[in-house]
Amino acid sequence: MGKNIACVVTNMFEDSEYSEPAKAFEEAGHTVTTIEMVKGKTVKGKQGEVEVEIDESIDSVKPENFDALFIPGGFSPDQLRADERFVSFTKSFMDDKKPVFAICHGPQLLITAKTLEGRHATGYTSIKVDMEYAGATYLDKEVVVCGNQLVTSRTPEDLPAFNRESLNLLK
């Protein structure tokens, strides 16, 4: 049975960090629902290679309608964490122990949601100190799975491991 995965994303996401996991999830029979401020808007990756049409607005979705949360990296998570609606949405997945997949700068939303305390995680090197201040044990590894719930990776080079472990959690 396929899972419904919420993906919070806005302009300047890292192209491959959205497109490759989304493709892997969909090929495995899962549904990816993109969420931003405005339904129907088209957001663009920072490399200019990928455009994503937004399926739902943040005001029209509820965390309980999704099985997992996917946060691509790039500048998107930093922009989204300035909006309390996205922070609250993210926090509920962590609080409810649902799978959360965050790559590169994706953990910035988890930092702002104050959900990394006591967790093992990784992310892009420039947010290492922020993650540590948020209470995470930062591990410089291609993929870190914490508590059979949180999957984090550092960069696009880690996508094969990130996709593999994310799909394992969805089984």
Side-chain angles (χ1 to χ4, degrees):
M1 177 94 167
K3 304 281 200 265
N4 194 7
I5 304 167
C7 174
V8 291
V9 64
T10 193
N11 284 307
M12 300 297 286
F13 61 90
E14 183 61 50
D15 302 60
S16 63
E17 292 174 358
Y18 167 78
S19 62
E20 289 185 32
K23 180 180 178 198
F25 295 148
E26 289 169 353
E27 285 178 351
H30 306 296
T31 303
V32 176
T33 301
T34 54
I35 301 164
E36 206 248 11
M37 283 73 88
V38 180
K39 177 181 179 172
K41 176 180 177 180
T42 299
V43 295
K44 297 181 178 156
K46 70 179 197 166
Q47 307 302 330
E49 299 165 2
V50 178
E51 292 186 354
V52 177
E53 185 173 333
I54 299 302
D55 298 314
E56 297 292 341
S57 76
I58 189 67
D59 292 321
S60 69
V61 294
K62 293 186 168 105
E64 54 266 25
N65 295 333
F66 297 94
D67 302 302
L69 176 64
F70 165 41
I71 311 169
F75 298 119
S76 171
D78 192 39
Q79 295 176 68
L80 295 176
R81 73 181 180 157
D83 186 324
E84 183 54 41
R85 297 172 298 175
F86 289 94
V87 174
S88 176
F89 188 77
T90 299
K91 182 173 176 17
S92 35
F93 282 86
M94 293 295 286
D95 289 350
D96 293 342
K97 308 282 188 254
K98 290 183 179 180
V100 174
F101 317 122
I103 186 166
C104 197
H105 286 80
Q108 287 179 309
L109 256 172
L110 302 171
I111 291 167
T112 304
K114 298 180 180 171
T115 59
L116 287 179
E117 178 98 27
R119 302 254 185 189
H120 290 86
T122 195
Y124 194 70
T125 187
S126 67
I127 65 168
K128 173 186 179 197
V129 171
D130 302 316
M131 292 176 71
E132 290 171 339
Y133 281 143
T137 299
Y138 181 92
L139 303 172
D140 187 13
K141 296 169 62 174
E142 67 178 357
V143 66
V144 176
V145 181
C146 180
N148 207 33
Q149 177 199 15
L150 177 63
V151 177
T152 53
S153 285
R154 303 167 301 189
T155 67
E157 288 73 32
D158 299 334
L159 279 165
F162 179 76
N163 291 347
R164 180 189 70 235
E165 295 305 325
S166 297
L167 288 169
N168 280 342
L169 272 190
L170 291 169
K171 288 181 181 170

